[in-house]
Amino acid sequence: MTDKLWYGGDYNPEQWPREVWDSDVRLMQRAGVTVATVGVFSWARLEPRDGEFDFAWLDDLMDLLDSHGIRVDLATATASPPVWLARKHPEMLPVTADGVRLGVGSRQHYNPSSSAYRRHAARLVRELAARYGTHPALEAWHINNEYGCHVSRDYSEESAAAFRVWLERRYGTVEALNAAWGTAFWSQAYGAFDQVGVPAAMPTYPNPGQLLDFDRFSSDALLECYLAEKEILRELSPDVPVTTNFMGFLKGIDYWSWAPHVDFVSDDCYPDPADPDSAPFGALARDLMRSLGGGAPWILMEQSPSAVNWRAVNAPKSPGMHRLHSLQAVARGADGIMQFQWRAGRAGAESFHAGMLPHGGEDTRVFRETVQLGEELASLADVRGTRCDARVAMIMDWDSWWALEQEARPASLDYVRVLAGWYRELWSRNVLVDLVRPTSDLSSYAAVLAPATFVLSAEGSANLAAFVEGGGQLLVGYQSGIVDERLHVHLGGYLGGLRDVLGVWIEEFAPPAPGSLSGTPAPALRISGLGEGGASTFAEVVRVSDAEVLATFTGPQPHGGLLDGRPALTRRRSGAGAGWYLATQPDNFGAVLDAVLEAAGVVGVEAPAGVEVVRRGDRTFVLNHNDHAVELTLAGEPLALPARDALII
Ligand code: GAL
């Protein structure tokens, strides 16, 4: 295993003549590359015909990298099946909800439940593991690539059959399934499991329980593919760690259920350089990765050295930005910084995606930055293995995400946007946050934030209530605790099992008024008690049973005064702890957060806007994301930072 930070990227030498490989390894050495990810899309090259393997080129490549001191993150190559396989087994191609079978000619054209795909993938992995499982260059196994990136839901017959098996395992009897899905509604009752199908295109709203279970099943079906490969690697290459690259906030996969199965978490992250919030958004994804691994170091497996090729506008990273994003990942727990890709491609759909070595070659800004970053990461090798310490946690839960964004729901809310809005305020205060689930162990936190935690089981609410009773500060946001894990509504007033600990319940919802047909905007909500500003978003009619009212909606209001005088923010103290409820997203959310953090005794780090300060181990990272220079004082020391520059103290 390497004792350095990982630095390198996807390396696809099979797309280049052999002589280019020699210049690649020479330039990799110059750039301080320590690890290359190899073979991600090499299936057709490794197995050009059914059962006929060609490993000569990969033998050569592994030895070449080894002789230049470059370690290998070896992919199992199962992400893009060869054409011959799809032609031989067209039933392995994915089917969309509209019944369209997807074609060959891009990538990820397999349905996860396909037995032909799984059988052939397993055979390839067995060959690779037997051949390279003890190769001296092998650092880690990289299973598949970005599971679910393009195809996370498949509606084929094979998937439908697998879904039925999954349901039978979950519910045991069809009566239990009917009860869970509430099929008494609209005459949807099933008489046997073999009558159940996937939620393909339907006349109108599908059954919510069926949709949510199909989301869960689809994540599990991909996980089965991963586990099948992992089992082979464990058998033939037991000492080499195994990962698969996650994709941050990917809706299709519940990474909480995947994370226990990787030896280390790895992530692909592509914040838009043109988005002014690219720094906080990147930070949020990095905090999620650290949290998925329970705080253990993780690897940033892919990021672009500059522009990508797949946005409407592919903005380049400004000078210094790539370094800042890389150091941000290290600061937030990464032990490696990898990019897509080493050498910018010459042909194919990603030719216009940046590489560490651009089309222009060595005499380019991007390559110079590649070399500089390599030097800097080499000097940071001793951060490896160190950890970050967060006292605040925020709930992030795929069930809530899936359920909140179904078509049949109370509000049109974008779950990740709601989370990102809360997170941004924490980020700007330099308060480090872990992401957790409602049922996670919360004992190490002083404050827990629960934005839009729509799905809340009895176990989850009991855990949150116990956190408050144990002295914690819990801030719950609108659209939480509305349904249980089967999507059955909590009766007697929304908030379910949190009603007592919060001392409030929710009687009605008041979504933002859409404005008039002629374009007159709807009036914003006014709030007293939170300083400046109101709210222009979702609100709820709160009923207080046993809580202090800290802020109220004041008239005139949309909805004919429905909210007038109603609580916007409440608090119920319970010993040293408190349960806070926020019934809308106020413009001045920062004031709410400050109050909660103060009660929790959590103090951030004061810094100018756009300056990120993070502590990992005994190092403090100070990152100036601004296009201008800043001055600040840190631990009594005055500091000056040029535009888009960083200091590590
Ligand atoms: C990732 C993928 C890479 C490459 C990259 C381009 O999603 O894993 O193979 O396609 O995007 O940004």
Side-chain angles (χ1 to χ4, degrees), residues 299-323:
I299 299 281
L300 179 60
M301 192 61 96
E302 281 184 29
Q303 61 170 344
S304 179
S306 188
V308 298
N309 66 308
W310 41 260
R311 287 200 168 94
V313 176
N314 298 312
K317 285 182 168 170
S318 16
M321 189 188 241
H322 187 59
R323 170 181 176 231

Side-chain angles (χ1 to χ4, degrees), residues 41 107 145-146 268 270 302 310 340 350 353:
F41 298 109
R107 65 175 175 187
N145 191 64
E146 291 190 341
D268 298 353
Y270 291 86
E302 281 184 29
W310 41 260
F340 181 86
E350 291 184 332
H353 193 290

Side-chain angles (χ1 to χ4, degrees), residues 536-551:
S536 52
T537 176
F538 202 81
E540 293 171 340
V541 178
V542 177
R543 297 281 301 273
V544 176
S545 47
D546 173 24
E548 303 159 70
V549 176
L550 304 179

